[in-house]
Amino acid sequence: MKKVAIFIALFTAVSLSAQRKSANTITLSGKIVDKKTNQPLEYATVVLKEISSQKITGGITDDKGNFSVNTNPGSYEISFEYISFQTVKLPTKNFTQNTNLGVISLQEDAVALDEINIIAEKSTVEIRLDKRIYNVGKDMTVKGGNASDVLDNVPSVNVDVEGNISLRGNENVRILIDGKPSALVGLSGTDALRQLPAEAIERVEVITSPSARYDAEGTAGILNIILRKGKATGFNGSINTTIGDPTQLQIAPNLNFRTEKINLFTNFGYQYRKGPGNSLTELDYLTDGTIDSTRIEKREFKRIRNGFNINLGLEYYLTKNSSITGTVFYRNSDNENNSTNDIRIIDRSDQSETFNDFRIQDEKEDDTTTQFSLNYTNNINESGHKLTIDLQYSDSKETEAAFITDNAATENNLTTEHSKNTLIQSDYVLPIGKNSQFEAGYRGDFEDLTSSFLVTRNPPLDPDSDPSNDLIFKQSVNAFYTQYGSKINKFSFLLGLRAEITDVDVNLVNSDGDLGFSYTEFFPTVNLGLETSEKSSFTLGYSRRLRRPRFWFLNPFESRNSQNVIFQGNPGLIPTFTNSYDLAYLTKFGKLTLNSSVYFQHSTNVIERVSRDEIRVIDGRNEVVTIREPINLASEDRYGFELTAAYNPSKTVKLDGSFNVFQSRVDGTYEYERFELDEDNNIIVTPEIQDLANSNGSWFARFNARILLPWKVQSQTRLFYRGPRQTAQEDTKGIFSANLAFSKDILKDKGTLVLNISDVFNSRKRRSTSFRPNMDEPSSVSYQEFQWRVRQISINFTYRFNQKKNQRSRNRGNQDFEGGDGEF
């Protein structure tokens, strides 16, 4: 903690010294709405042109259409712009004091519809008091990709080779779709996001210090994925197709039809993909520090992803201030996972092969998900007085059937999971005066899940080791929140309190066990902001968060990756609680924009995966079996520094990058039973207490370069590196990857061709060494190399109809503005 305090003090001192002192400023504020529907226009552009110096400043509207721009007194020409809407300009006027410009109504431009790209060319960062917004924009390296590819391009976020998503190095991140938990994330999360087309995503909100409005779940923070929904009048859209090698076929239409009373929108995606991968495991068994034998496993994967999803929505405008929106989401996937595993055991005393096996696993997976959502929005007045009500119901079913053969046995595994989720939510916003706002709301989240795992084997398994099980999991979370925010000159604050009442019931059918627990917790949030000049601002956030153990972490029955690698849950797990602090600084120097932050998190009852070895009799042999399970450790302190930068030296070159370094200290012990063989080859079991206290750190960096080449060919290069990291039981090497893309507009700019090479050097592999029970005195050491998918080369084609690629700088938020509260 002392190091963190010193770090923050130094950072603040340096940042303050870099600022320029600003003169007395005035504030120009107002609201921008759609003239037809009276709906607020988010991301509308406010452009201020100072008459004497011709200096351009401005800002962007928030989600309520409000803007507030700080500038120096003087004469200004002011214009208001929004994509596919007619620009409104105000006569030149001299401003000497704070002025409210009132409500500005923009009308859709029928002519401009032929000049607007449905996917705006932007990749800008917007800073709000409680979140940062990353607009996906024209990111060529994700063309033909999926939601995981999009997230992997977002600063602060990392997606590892297995698809696990982390925020600032912490995997306990909450993923929302359009601000709510969603069936689009699925039961597994990782696989479901890989089936959501990148073209369906408009932007990603990174919320490292969530306000009370958001779920308290997710100790790292929240990633909120916002899907596209057309705003232009008439029928318009785009069709996106991709082919690639290894085999990849994808089509993703985005269609929209809007009139004065209705807005009908849909996102559809179909994909067929083959994903070859491989892994190597070398497991050394030691006695008194000497290697006795080595088990070598070489696995080859062949995955087939075949599925589609559709999101269909209808928004009906009841009045000019209120609307009701219904959406239906459906996903159906039929996947196959085929793998071979060549297994050998080598006696290191004479290098002889004492055992060999060839294991084949054929797995088929069926996944169907249906979700119904209903939203009512009433913008009670133009000042931001608002009421919203959301209802959502989802039904998800997953079935996995695996047939396994090796030299000694055959085995069938059948896993079925059925989840039903109901969400009820209401939010109320009441403006108080000009710059203050009160909010209150309720959210009820109810989950009902059944899981069954059946294993049949010939010859049969030992009854004591049979992992077959059935589980019923029910969880209800009732949450209430209130928050109050205000802006006083250049200072903004948002204070909130959230209460969550959680009831959990876990029924272990096979063992007649019934585990239930309830708890009520309060989660305060504080978000502060200070604009120190037209180009600089600070934000400071505090939030209390938690991590609830999911059902697969509570299920004590075993699930098997193989005979010798087993995962089992822990019904004794309790939630993790985290106090999170975040200090951020944003500044601009000409064409260079810098956004930096330092953060600190203190967590108790940290959930950590640990490994231990058991000796079991398998097919008449004593075999070492690795057991992986989650446990609660005492505490974790995590702190780090993050820097993102954007530099546009010319109209043809755009550069951006991010850097994140973090350090953590974990304290806690692990109690388990240690298995050993005596001289007569009998299994000896002794209790063991292992100290897992350790300090570890790592870092990752990302760099993007977009360059306009001759013949109007756009190029994009993306480089990523994650540094090595170490825990009490594992040492992981660094990972480097590079993506390269080229695009060319054709068919009078109605079409775009993109060539994308993902993982150019085929280097995206996880290499790690595990030590059990610990690094100091290991009884086994395992080296593993894993590659989820090999280098991918694809060609993507997008065709736009009734919409054309924008040739002018009218994209929302694309100008290089010099401050303004719209960015705050």
Side-chain angles (χ1 to χ4, degrees), residues 423-708:
L423 177 75
I424 304 172
Q425 179 174 325
S426 181
D427 299 279
Y428 177 72
V429 180
L430 176 65
I432 302 175
K434 179 182 176 181
N435 293 319
S436 300
Q437 182 172 284
F438 170 80
E439 293 184 45
Y442 163 79
R443 173 179 289 181
D445 198 348
F446 310 98
E447 180 180 3
D448 190 344
L449 179 142
T450 59
S451 174
S452 176
F453 184 50
L454 176 65
V455 178
T456 57
R457 190 172 186 270
N458 185 24
L461 289 167
D462 184 335
D464 294 334
S465 302
D466 187 356
S468 300
N469 69 88
D470 294 280
L471 175 141
I472 300 174
F473 175 84
K474 294 182 179 181
Q475 177 175 278
S476 65
V477 180
N478 289 280
F480 304 86
Y481 81 90
T482 182
Q483 62 183 18
Y484 176 78
S486 185
K487 182 176 182 182
I488 305 171
N489 296 323
K490 297 181 180 181
F491 175 71
S492 303
F493 67 87
L494 183 62
L495 309 177
L497 180 65
R498 187 180 185 91
E500 294 194 350
I501 306 166
T502 305
D503 294 290
V504 178
D505 182 67
V506 183
N507 184 7
L508 309 175
V509 179
N510 301 64
S511 62
D512 297 323
D514 195 358
L515 309 172
F517 49 91
S518 302
Y519 50 93
T520 300
E521 294 288 339
F522 293 91
F523 302 92
T525 62
V526 177
N527 288 282
L528 309 176
L530 178 65
E531 296 175 75
T532 54
S533 72
E534 290 184 355
K535 296 185 178 182
S536 303
S537 62
F538 279 98
T539 58
L540 175 65
Y542 162 78
S543 61
R544 185 172 187 251
R545 313 283 298 162
L546 88 161
R547 178 186 186 181
R548 295 183 180 92
R550 303 300 298 154
F551 76 92
W552 56 82
F553 269 19
L554 295 172
N555 188 353
F557 295 99
E558 298 177 351
S559 61
R560 292 145 54 92
N561 294 326
S562 68
Q563 287 189 111
N564 297 77
V565 180
I566 291 172
F567 176 84
Q568 67 179 28
N570 178 0
L573 285 180
I574 58 177
T576 299
F577 292 95
T578 298
N579 290 292
S580 180
Y581 306 83
D582 188 287
L583 174 64
Y585 175 65
L586 172 69
T587 188
K588 294 184 179 181
F589 303 96
K591 298 179 180 180
L592 175 65
T593 300
L594 297 175
N595 181 29
S596 57
S597 64
V598 290
Y599 54 91
F600 172 73
Q601 296 172 336
H602 175 72
S603 303
T604 57
N605 306 321
V606 181
I607 298 175
E608 188 85 12
R609 290 187 184 95
V610 295
S611 299
R612 57 185 172 87
D613 286 342
E614 286 188 5
I615 299 177
R616 296 183 180 179
V617 178
I618 300 178
D619 299 327
R621 293 171 48 90
N622 285 330
E623 294 265 3
V624 176
V625 176
T626 297
I627 309 295
R628 303 197 67 199
E629 61 182 345
I631 64 170
N632 285 113
L633 296 179
S635 65
E636 179 186 46
D637 287 330
R638 171 186 290 267
Y639 54 92
F641 170 76
E642 182 175 48
L643 175 67
T644 61
Y647 178 59
N648 301 329
S650 69
K651 294 182 179 180
T652 60
V653 178
K654 296 182 178 181
L655 310 174
D656 64 82
S658 62
F659 173 77
N660 194 309
V661 58
F662 50 90
Q663 183 79 19
S664 66
R665 167 71 188 181
V666 177
D667 289 302
T669 59
Y670 178 31
E671 299 183 16
Y672 64 98
E673 293 182 334
R674 183 166 184 167
F675 287 66
E676 295 177 303
L677 293 176
D678 63 13
E679 295 179 353
D680 298 323
N681 217 30
N682 296 316
I683 299 175
I684 305 298
V685 181
T686 55
E688 185 86 7
I689 299 178
Q690 182 181 346
D691 185 3
L692 293 182
N694 71 97
S695 296
N696 72 87
S698 188
W699 60 278
F700 60 86
R702 181 184 283 108
F703 173 76
N704 272 294
R706 298 178 180 88
I707 301 174
L708 179 62

Side-chain angles (χ1 to χ4, degrees), residues 374-397:
L374 190 66
N375 167 266
Y376 169 75
T377 299
N378 187 352
N379 295 290
I380 300 171
N381 59 37
E382 296 177 352
S383 64
H385 195 186
K386 185 178 182 179
L387 172 67
T388 60
I389 300 174
D390 289 278
L391 303 174
Q392 182 173 287
Y393 174 79
S394 62
D395 189 300
S396 299
K397 298 178 182 177

Side-chain angles (χ1 to χ4, degrees), residues 191-220:
D191 287 338
L193 289 173
R194 285 173 172 157
Q195 297 179 53
L196 180 63
E199 285 70 27
I201 299 173
E202 178 177 327
R203 65 185 187 271
V204 177
E205 298 177 346
V206 179
I207 311 172
T208 54
S209 183
S211 68
R213 181 189 307 115
Y214 296 98
D215 286 347
E217 178 79 25
T219 57

Side-chain angles (χ1 to χ4, degrees), residues 775-793:
M775 291 187 179
D776 297 329
E777 297 180 354
S779 59
S780 66
V781 178
S782 174
Y783 170 78
Q784 186 177 58
E785 184 176 300
F786 179 80
Q787 185 175 27
W788 174 263
R789 65 181 182 185
V790 298
R791 175 176 47 239
Q792 180 85 38
I793 301 175

